[in-house]
Amino acid sequence: MSSWTFKKWVFWILFLASVLAVAAGVAVTVGAVWIPLGKSGSIFLHYLAGRGGAPEGLDREAAILLELRVPRVASGALVGAALALCGAVLQALLRNPLADPYVLGISSGAALGAVLAILFGLGSIALGAYAVPVAAFSGALLTLLFVYFLARVQGRVPAQTMLLAGFIVSAFFLAIIMFLISWTSDERLFQVTFWLMGNLEYMASKPLGGIFLYLLIGSAVLFSRAKDLNLAALGEETASELGVEVERLKKITFVSASLITGAVVSVSGLIGFVGLVVPHLVRMIWGPDHRFLLPGSALAGAILLVLADTIARTVLAPSEVPVGVITALGGAPFFVYLLRRRGLGGNS
Amino acid sequence: MAAILRAESVFFRYPGREIFRDLSLSLEEGEIVGLIGPNSSGKTTLLKILDGILAPDRGEVLLGGKKVRTLPRSEIARTIAVVPQEMEVPFSFTAGEIVLMGRAPYLGRFAWEKKKDLDIAREGMALTDVLDLEKRPFWELSQGEKQRVLMARALAQEPKIILLDEPTSHLDINHQVELNELIRRLNEDRNLTVLNISHDLNLAAEYSRRVVLLHRGALFASGSPAEVLTEENIRRVYETTVLVERNPLSGAPRVVPIGRPREPQALRRGAVHIICGAGSGIDSARRLLLRGFRVSLGVLNVGDTDQKMGKTLGLNMALEEPFSPISEKSYRENQELIRGADRIVVEKFLVGKGNLLNLQAAIEGLQKGKKVIVLENDLAFDFSGGEAASCYRKLKEGGAVFIPDHSRLLEEVEKDLS
C-alpha cells in the first residue's frame, strides 16, 4: 500500500526545507570572508525591517552578504531544484533511469546559442549583458520545437522516438560547437569553456525575481501531474488503461520540463549530474511515488547545488572552480556507487 | 441483457499487416467470454481496441452506447479494467502501491488516497492472495505473483468490465483455478462482465459461458464452449488434430491434442489390428501409430470411445450399430482387417454376449498363423456366462502371447517383424 499519507508528506517536505535552510546558512557564512551567523542574522533583521544601509560596523559584511552571497545561494537553490525536478520528470516520462534534463537535447541547443553569442560578440551589438542568456534561451526554444516535431508520429510523440530525436539533435549541435571552438583561439575560448562547464556567477549578478516566478509556475505545472507520472512510469498503455490522457500528459510535461531546463541552462550553463543523481537519491530513501519525488527532488537538488557551489567558491579561494566540475566530480562516483549497489534497471 | 461493450465492423491494420477486416463482437452485460485463437490471430489487439487504447481504422467501439474513443480515459478506467500479460516497472514501486494505482481514476489531481481507497485495494489483494506481498518491490516478484498483483489492481478499479490477457499464463495450477473461480464469483456476485484471452482451451471451455474463436482477423465461431470447441473447428483454425472429450464433472468440452495424422508412409512398419472397446485401445493405437504402424480396430459399436478416437485418427475400423451385438456383416469386415494385419492385439475390455465374437475372431487369426498379443484379463466382470474364459483359454493354448500391461506391447509387436 502507499506508504504516503498527507501528514507524512508534510513532515518530510518540512524536513528537507529545514535542511535547505541549514545549507543556505552554511553557504552564506563561509567564503573568502567569514561571516558568522550572529552577524548575518542582525544584517538580515536590519534589512527586513526596511531600514536602509547596514547595522553599525558591518558595512562590508552587509555588502558581501546581500549583494554576493544571498543571490548566489538563491541562484544555486533555484538551478539545483529545477534540474533535479526536470530529471525526475523525464526519468518517469521516458521510463529510463538514465534520463536527465539534458537528454532531450534542449541543453545543447542552449549551448549552441550561447557559444554563437559569445563568439560573434552579440553583446556588443545588442542586449548587452543579457545577450548570452537570450541567445541560449532562443537556442533552447528552437531545439524544443525541432525535437518535438522530429519525434511526432501521426499526432503522437512516442517516448522512445523523443529520446532518439533528442540524442541525435544533441550530437549534431555538439559537433557544431566543437567545430566553432576549434576555430577560436583568443580569450573568447576561455569564455566559451567557462560557460559550458556551468557556473552560477552570471545568474547571481542579475535580479532573480523574474526567473524565480518563471520556475515556480513551471514547477507547479509539473507537480500537478505527479500522480499521472506515477502511472506513466508503468508504461504508456498502462497509464491509459488507468485513466491518464497520456498524449496530453506527455506534451504538457515535456514542454514544461524543456522550458524550465532551457531557461536554467541559459543562465547557468551545463551543470551536470544534479538532474541525474538527485532523483535516484530521493527514490532510494523515500520511494518512487512522484507526489513526493518531485518536490523532494527539487528540495534535495537545491540543497546539493548550494553545497556544491559553496565548495566551488571556497576550495581554491580566492579563485573559483566552475560548479559543474564539482557536481561531476562528486556525482559521477556517486552514480557508480548507486549502480553497483542497487542497479537501476527493473530487474535487479 | 444488453450489449455493454461492442465493436462494430472494425477494420484495423498495423503497418504492412492487416489484423481485422470487418470484425464485430459484442459483450453482453454479465457475460464471461473466452477469447481464443492461434498466435497472432489478433486477440491482444482486439482487447486494446475494445479498451480504446488503439483506434480502429474504420468501425466503432461502443461502451454503453457511447463511442469509446470520445470518452475521457478516466471514465473508461472506471468501467473497464485491463489485466495485461506482463508489466515492467523501471522503478521500485511496491506491490501495494501498484494495486493502489487502480484507484487513480477515482482520485482528483491533488487528492490523496482515503481509507476507503485503501480498503478497496486491500480487498482486491486479499481476493487474489497477494496481501503478504504488499511491501515487496513489484520488480522483485515472480511472474505469477506479478499477474496476481495486476489482477488485484484491476479489482481496485471496481470495473463493470474486465479484460484479461492470458491472466493465468504464469500461474501454478492452484492459482489458475483460484483466479478462474474468483472471476466466476465476481461475475455472479457483482454481475462483472468478463473477456478472457486464453491459450488454454480447456480452461476457456471450463469457465466461459461463451467462447469466441478468432482466426485470421475474423470471428471464426462464437457460441457455447461445446458449440465452438469442436474437433472440426480446432483442426481448421489451429491446423492440428485433437480429440474433444467431456469433463465428466462439469460437462465442459475437454480438448486433447493428438498431433497431426500420420501419412501413408507409416505402412512400412506393418499392420496391427486391435480388438478393443470402451476406450481400452486408445493408448496402444496412439503408440503404434507413432511407431509407424498401420492400425485398424474392430469390431466397435458406433459411439464407442475407441470408435470416436479411431475416427479422429482416420483408422480403418469394422463397425457395428450402436449398442448392437456383432452381426455377420461386421464380423466379416473384422476378419478382413485381421487378414491384412501382421499382429493382433487383444486389449483388456469387458466381454459380454454382444462382443464375444471379437475373441472368436482373435482365435481364428491365431489359427491362421498370426501372432496374437493378449492383455491379461482377469474377467472380474464377465457378462458372457463363462464363454469368455474359455476363449481366453483357447488363445493361451493356441500360443498367443500374454502380457500383464502395455509396457511390453511395442516390444512384442516388433519382435521377429522384418
Side-chain angles (χ1 to χ4, degrees):
Chain A
M1 220 51 37
S2 169
S3 44
W4 288 103
T5 57
F6 184 62
K7 248 188 219 163
K8 186 179 162 193
W9 184 90
V10 170
F11 173 82
W12 284 113
I13 291 292
L14 289 178
F15 169 81
L16 283 173
S18 328
V19 176
L20 176 58
V22 172
V26 171
V28 294
T29 303
V30 301
V33 177
W34 187 270
I35 307 177
L37 274 181
K39 284 186 187 173
S40 46
S42 58
I43 294 170
F44 277 129
L45 285 178
H46 188 87
Y47 177 78
L48 289 176
R51 281 172 268 165
E56 201 127 320
L58 290 175
D59 286 339
R60 197 172 71 105
E61 281 88 346
I64 292 173
L65 194 72
L66 296 177
E67 282 157 39
L68 294 178
R69 298 255 168 101
V70 170
R72 183 71 181 247
V73 169
S75 302
L78 285 178
V79 170
L83 290 176
L85 170 63
C86 291
V89 168
L90 287 170
Q91 284 170 8
L93 206 56
L94 301 172
R95 302 186 72 215
N96 188 334
L98 294 176
D100 73 357
Y102 305 150
V103 77
L104 293 177
I106 311 301
S107 50
S108 58
L112 183 59
V115 169
L116 286 172
I118 294 169
L119 293 185
F120 295 104
L122 181 64
S124 58
I125 305 163
L127 297 168
Y130 290 98
V132 172
V134 168
F137 191 62
S138 312
L141 284 184
L142 287 175
T143 314
L144 165 61
L145 291 175
F146 189 51
V147 170
Y148 188 86
F149 287 108
L150 206 59
R152 207 165 65 147
V153 186
Q154 294 168 348
R156 300 175 62 233
V157 275
Q160 289 314 308
T161 325
M162 215 148 74
L163 198 61
L164 278 175
F167 179 78
I168 296 298
V169 167
S170 195
F172 187 72
F173 285 176
L174 281 178
I176 298 179
I177 292 173
M178 291 304 157
F179 172 76
L180 291 172
I181 288 177
S182 71
W183 269 54
T184 310
S185 54
D186 49 25
E187 90 287 347
R188 289 177 304 171
L189 179 62
F190 173 75
Q191 275 184 52
V192 166
T193 319
F194 198 73
W195 190 90
L196 287 178
M197 283 190 294
N199 71 90
L200 297 167
E201 214 179 327
Y202 172 83
M203 185 179 174
S205 69
K206 297 286 174 289
L208 292 171
I211 190 156
F212 177 71
L213 197 67
Y214 176 93
L215 294 179
L216 199 66
I217 294 169
S219 312
V221 172
L222 292 178
F223 290 156
S224 74
R225 307 287 147 166
K227 204 154 38 186
D228 289 352
L229 285 170
N230 277 341
L231 300 170
L234 308 187
E236 292 185 19
E237 271 179 15
T238 304
S240 287
E241 288 159 9
L242 291 171
V244 179
E245 310 285 348
V246 172
E247 287 306 315
R248 195 187 306 160
L249 172 75
K250 278 192 296 184
K251 284 167 192 168
I252 290 173
T253 45
F254 171 56
V255 170
S256 308
S258 299
L259 288 177
I260 292 176
T261 306
V264 162
V265 170
S266 303
V267 291
S268 66
L270 299 178
I271 298 177
F273 281 95
V274 178
L276 176 64
V277 170
V278 171
H280 283 291
L281 196 66
V282 175
R283 253 188 236 108
M284 253 174 78
I285 302 173
W286 289 284
D289 191 327
H290 288 76
R291 287 174 293 188
F292 184 82
L293 181 64
L294 298 189
S297 293
L299 286 168
I303 295 165
L304 237 92
L305 200 60
V306 165
L307 293 178
D309 188 50
T310 308
I311 296 171
R313 283 188 292 119
T314 52
V315 70
L316 291 179
S319 67
E320 211 176 278
V321 183
V323 69
V325 172
I326 302 293
T327 57
L329 282 177
F334 181 72
F335 195 69
V336 170
Y337 162 76
L338 281 185
L339 207 63
R340 302 289 303 181
R341 184 166 166 268
R342 301 244 313 193
L344 299 171
N347 304 313
S348 48
Chain B
M1 289 220 289
I4 186 167
L5 185 62
R6 59 184 282 123
E8 281 178 353
S9 49
V10 161
F11 289 69
F12 183 82
R13 59 183 307 129
Y14 288 119
R17 197 160 75 91
E18 183 171 59
I19 306 293
F20 296 124
R21 198 176 173 78
D22 198 14
L23 178 112
S24 296
L25 174 70
S26 141
L27 291 185
E28 308 291 328
E29 198 170 349
E31 256 195 319
I32 301 184
V33 176
L35 182 61
I36 58 173
N39 291 332
S40 73
S41 56
K43 300 185 295 294
T44 302
T45 306
L46 178 58
L47 192 142
K48 286 177 186 166
I49 289 175
L50 286 173
D51 190 42
I53 301 281
L54 290 176
D57 301 327
R58 275 164 62 194
E60 232 18 281
V61 174
L62 300 175
L63 172 59
K66 293 181 210 157
K67 291 181 182 176
V68 78
R69 294 286 293 178
T70 62
L71 292 175
R73 289 300 323 173
S74 55
E75 193 180 326
I76 298 172
R78 286 191 291 266
T79 315
I80 306 178
V82 176
V83 180
Q85 249 181 85
E86 281 174 349
M87 188 179 78
E88 287 295 328
V89 182
F91 305 113
S92 59
F93 286 107
T94 63
E97 284 172 323
I98 297 282
V99 174
L100 204 52
M101 286 186 204
R103 296 305 296 163
Y106 295 91
L107 295 176
R109 194 167 285 294
F110 296 98
W112 293 81
E113 292 88 356
K114 299 187 181 60
K115 184 171 176 304
K116 180 180 165 236
D117 299 304
L118 297 176
D119 288 346
I120 290 170
R122 281 225 173 77
E123 191 200 351
M125 297 180 83
L127 288 173
T128 53
D129 188 23
V130 293
L131 268 180
D132 54 334
L133 306 178
E134 184 186 319
K135 303 253 184 264
R136 296 256 311 274
F138 183 78
W139 68 25
E140 281 180 16
L141 303 181
S142 75
Q143 290 293 346
E145 289 169 330
K146 283 182 184 172
Q147 277 189 324
R148 278 146 55 207
V149 169
L150 293 177
M151 181 69 192
R153 187 187 70 189
L155 295 181
Q157 283 174 254
E158 297 187 297
K160 292 195 180 67
I161 305 168
I162 192 162
L163 308 177
L164 304 123
D165 193 351
E166 291 189 58
T168 58
S169 57
H170 294 291
L171 298 189
D172 60 44
I173 191 161
N174 164 37
H175 284 110
Q176 264 185 18
V177 171
E178 261 187 38
L179 189 88
N180 279 298
E181 297 287 349
L182 171 65
I183 291 169
R184 181 183 275 176
R185 210 176 91 205
L186 293 168
N187 168 264
E188 283 162 6
D189 294 355
R190 304 181 188 176
N191 202 27
L192 186 71
T193 308
V194 180
L195 180 74
N196 191 353
I197 293 182
S198 182
H199 271 304
D200 189 326
L201 303 182
N202 293 329
L203 276 179
E206 203 67 45
Y207 290 100
S208 310
R209 307 271 161 76
R210 179 157 72 100
V211 174
V212 171
L213 178 56
L214 275 189
H215 181 44
R216 299 204 179 125
L219 217 89
F220 187 86
S222 167
S224 72
E227 285 166 352
V228 173
L229 291 169
T230 64
E231 288 164 13
E232 176 64 9
N233 281 348
I234 291 169
R235 192 180 56 72
R236 285 175 58 190
V237 171
Y238 289 88
E239 288 166 24
T240 188
T241 311
V242 297
L243 196 65
V244 176
E245 307 169 342
R246 298 217 165 264
N247 181 334
L249 291 176
S250 66
R254 191 165 58 183
V255 177
V256 184
I258 48 183
R260 287 165 206 277
R262 286 270 149 182
E263 299 302 312
Q265 44 131 24
L267 299 180
R268 270 178 293 138
R269 297 297 302 274
V272 179
H273 184 75
I274 304 177
I275 292 169
C276 56
S280 59
I282 291 177
D283 214 31
S284 308
R286 197 194 67 241
R287 284 205 271 176
L288 288 166
L289 270 178
L290 291 176
R291 291 290 281 216
F293 288 96
R294 188 177 50 162
V295 177
S296 58
L297 311 174
V299 175
L300 292 170
N301 289 103
V302 171
D304 180 277
T305 316
D306 280 335
Q307 183 267 329
K308 287 195 230 167
M309 184 268 312
K311 190 180 160 206
T312 309
L313 294 176
L315 303 182
N316 262 336
M317 290 183 286
L319 295 179
E320 186 50 74
E321 296 295 310
F323 303 108
S324 307
I326 296 172
S327 65
E328 186 67 21
K329 180 169 165 285
S330 59
Y331 184 70
R332 290 228 188 306
E333 283 173 22
N334 208 24
Q335 280 182 315
E336 279 301 311
L337 293 172
I338 286 175
R339 200 168 302 137
D342 302 297
R343 299 281 184 266
I344 299 160
V345 176
V346 179
E347 293 288 343
K348 182 178 171 182
F349 60 104
L350 291 178
V351 188
K353 293 213 187 287
N355 62 357
L356 194 63
L357 281 174
N358 273 342
L359 290 179
Q360 190 57 45
I363 295 169
E364 280 176 26
L366 191 66
Q367 286 161 353
K368 287 192 175 120
K370 306 274 179 191
K371 178 171 181 180
V372 177
I373 300 155
V374 183
L375 271 291
E376 274 169 22
N377 193 339
D378 56 9
L379 294 172
F381 299 97
D382 179 9
F383 303 106
S384 65
E387 290 178 53
S390 110
C391 286
Y392 272 97
R393 212 174 304 121
K394 280 184 196 159
L395 282 169
K396 193 159 246 168
E397 285 161 2
V401 179
F402 276 68
I403 52 176
D405 54 47
H406 285 108
S407 58
R408 275 177 51 217
L409 177 77
L410 286 176
E411 187 189 328
E412 284 299 337
V413 167
E414 284 172 354
K415 197 188 275 179
D416 304 322
L417 199 69
S418 56

